[in-house]
Amino acid sequence: MTNPLISAAGITIAYPNGLTALKDFTLDVAQGEFVGIVGPSGCGKTTFLDAVAGLMPVAGGRLTYKGKPISGINTGEVGYLFQKDSLMPWRTAAQNVYAALELRKVPQAEWRQRAQDILQKVGLGRFTDKYPAQLSGGMRRRVQLAVLLAFDPPVILMDEPFGALDAQTRTIIEDDFLRLWEQNRKTVLFVTHDLEEAICLCDKVVILTAHPGTRKQVLEVPLQRPRTIDEAKFDPEFPQTLKTLSTSLRAEVGRTLAL
């Protein structure tokens, strides 16, 4: 790949206690690519996202963003959607969005309209004045997407962002995110344990080995874009893609259980 946006060249990452999380991991990510990352529990998936965000130092190898080593928090370039709810509970949906707009140095006079427009995009135009405790889990996740849209980073890191939602809500929000992603084609690194989700959303899926994690395989997703979740699952390429991904991952899960 010529001039990747994010490049990990044989990186090793260790926790403060000395335990190695990732070992000799290599991956290039192009601008605008939607990349899924799957692997057994404890193989370093989230650790890799943390390193790209600048939250975790690299002990060996080279990790770069736009050709430069990542050193410290990747301020302004990376948005991170964590597994857990990261909204400020004392702020309304609109006020949570205001925080991102302030970080982006948007004039305060524009905050109200910008927040309204963004919340409308994620289907929350009637809930701008509601606090997180007044919203369902799916609605709170939509507010977090709105905050990301307001912050408007070139790179979006997503760590099992929809895992806690019920199946129906999850599909709706995945479709909404795909629709929004098609509008701007941000670079996305997406960690998930759901193989169907990885295939439906991503351009390619990176499979990590059992701990310590390293790259086992990169599977290109052969489904056409644009697509919805239902369209993806009924694509004739979907079953074989799922079988290939599942077979490869199952071997690593087996290794984890045998440790």
Side-chain angles (χ1 to χ4, degrees):
M1 184 183 300
T2 304
N3 299 323
L5 184 68
I6 299 165
S7 179
I11 64 170
T12 295
I13 303 175
Y15 297 122
N17 64 6
L19 183 68
T20 300
L22 277 177
K23 184 177 182 181
D24 195 27
F25 177 73
T26 295
L27 178 68
D28 285 341
V29 180
Q31 184 170 341
E33 219 173 9
F34 200 134
V35 180
I37 302 174
V38 302
S41 295
C43 70
K45 300 181 297 294
T46 298
T47 300
F48 178 61
L49 295 193
D50 289 345
V52 173
L55 302 174
M56 196 85 175
V58 173
R62 182 175 171 85
L63 179 62
T64 62
Y65 176 74
K66 293 183 178 178
K68 297 180 180 179
I70 296 174
S71 179
I73 296 176
N74 213 348
T75 306
E77 297 293 318
V78 169
Y80 206 145
L81 191 58
F82 300 95
Q83 293 181 45
K84 295 183 178 179
D85 195 325
S86 59
L87 296 174
M88 292 176 277
W90 61 91
R91 289 191 170 204
T92 65
Q95 289 168 345
N96 270 277
V97 175
Y98 291 171
L101 295 173
E102 184 176 8
L103 286 172
R104 277 298 183 199
K105 302 189 184 303
V106 174
Q108 189 170 353
E110 299 178 19
W111 290 1
R112 183 180 180 84
Q113 188 59 54
R114 289 271 199 106
Q116 177 68 43
D117 292 344
I118 293 169
L119 287 165
Q120 188 72 41
K121 281 186 177 181
V122 299
L124 292 176
R126 296 186 293 111
F127 299 91
T128 59
D129 61 345
K130 300 298 183 183
Y131 290 90
Q134 297 173 299
L135 301 173
S136 68
M139 287 178 171
R140 289 196 297 273
R141 189 56 35 164
R142 287 173 182 270
V143 176
Q144 289 179 285
L145 287 177
V147 172
L148 270 179
L149 291 174
F151 187 57
D152 195 30
V155 177
I156 296 176
L157 309 178
M158 306 182 82
D159 188 9
E160 297 186 63
F162 311 129
L165 303 176
D166 65 85
Q168 186 175 9
T169 301
R170 182 173 184 164
T171 297
I172 292 170
I173 293 183
E174 287 169 343
D175 274 333
D176 285 344
F177 184 69
L178 273 178
R179 173 179 53 81
L180 294 167
W181 178 81
E182 286 286 355
Q183 295 173 10
N184 52 39
R185 293 289 182 115
K186 300 288 187 182
T187 304
V188 179
L189 293 179
F190 189 93
V191 166
T192 181
H193 283 288
D194 188 321
L195 303 187
E196 292 190 2
E197 180 178 61
I199 295 167
C200 289
L201 294 178
C202 301
D203 296 315
K204 67 184 181 186
V205 182
V206 182
I207 305 164
L208 270 65
T209 65
H211 177 269
T214 192
R215 191 179 86 179
K216 177 180 183 179
Q217 183 179 0
V218 177
L219 178 66
E220 299 288 339
V221 176
L223 281 59
Q224 297 296 312
R225 293 193 186 276
R227 60 183 182 245
T228 66
I229 301 302
D230 284 342
E231 287 170 347
K233 289 182 178 179
F234 283 100
D235 190 292
E237 298 276 7
F238 183 86
Q240 184 57 51
T241 306
L242 179 59
K243 182 179 179 180
T244 300
L245 185 56
S246 179
T247 301
S248 184
L249 182 58
R250 188 182 298 118
E252 297 309 315
V253 173
R255 287 182 56 207
T256 298
L257 295 176
L259 293 176

